[in-house]
Amino acid sequence: MPTTTLDLGCGPNPQNPYNADEVYGLDIRQLDNPRIRSADLFVQPIPGPDEEFDFITAFHFIEHMPRVLYVDGRTIFPFVRLMSEIHRKLKPGGVFLSATPSFPHPQAWQDPTHVNIITAETFPMYFAGPDPTARIYGFQGRFDMVKQEQRAHVLFSELRRPLTP
């Protein structure tokens, strides 16, 4: 069976670090490519069915996701909701890879569109382990922390959706 990957915030060229057989992208812009879907992940889910991808990647994307929005008098947590969506879209055993500028490096802060500052504790504490802290904010799912590595100002975080809930 062919492997599939989805690159979030891909622009016109989805990345494929896991060398998946089928490569798809998701961007806020409508691009003229049948393998790139369009959605505003601040307020919309990732389109398509559950458990669709073996891999999901986000290169310099997560830092642009708002942590809190107020919509029609309601508080929503777009970053937490996105992590639930990533969990939903990954097949059991699937891998999520994030590469994002991180605290305390100035690159995490200097771009005015960086509104979601990530630390080395964000993914392991809030989204991984037997009882992820982000559940209090509506996170649905659980990841296992595979590895995390700081390269210059970029934090690479790899999480796996467990084979069993």
Side-chain angles (χ1 to χ4, degrees), residues 48-60:
D50 296 354
E51 300 180 1
E52 186 177 7
F53 297 102
D54 298 285
F55 309 102
I56 296 177
T57 56
F59 292 94
H60 297 273

Side-chain angles (χ1 to χ4, degrees), residues 60 63-64 67 100-120 122 150 153-154:
H60 297 273
E63 67 272 17
H64 299 278
R67 286 188 181 236
T100 185
S102 65
F103 176 85
H105 302 280
Q107 293 87 341
W109 303 93
Q110 65 197 20
D111 182 334
T113 67
H114 290 183
V115 295
N116 186 18
I117 306 305
I118 301 298
T119 75
T122 301
Q150 188 78 42
H153 66 277
V154 177

Side-chain angles (χ1 to χ4, degrees), residues 97-151:
L97 173 65
S98 169
T100 185
S102 65
F103 176 85
H105 302 280
Q107 293 87 341
W109 303 93
Q110 65 197 20
D111 182 334
T113 67
H114 290 183
V115 295
N116 186 18
I117 306 305
I118 301 298
T119 75
E121 293 302 315
T122 301
F123 289 115
M125 182 175 188
Y126 285 86
F127 301 103
D131 190 24
T133 302
R135 285 201 177 134
I136 63 174
Y137 303 111
F139 175 59
Q140 298 176 3
R142 179 177 72 80
F143 290 101
D144 292 327
M145 200 71 216
V146 176
K147 68 179 175 180
Q148 217 167 215
E149 179 182 354
Q150 188 78 42
R151 297 184 208 156

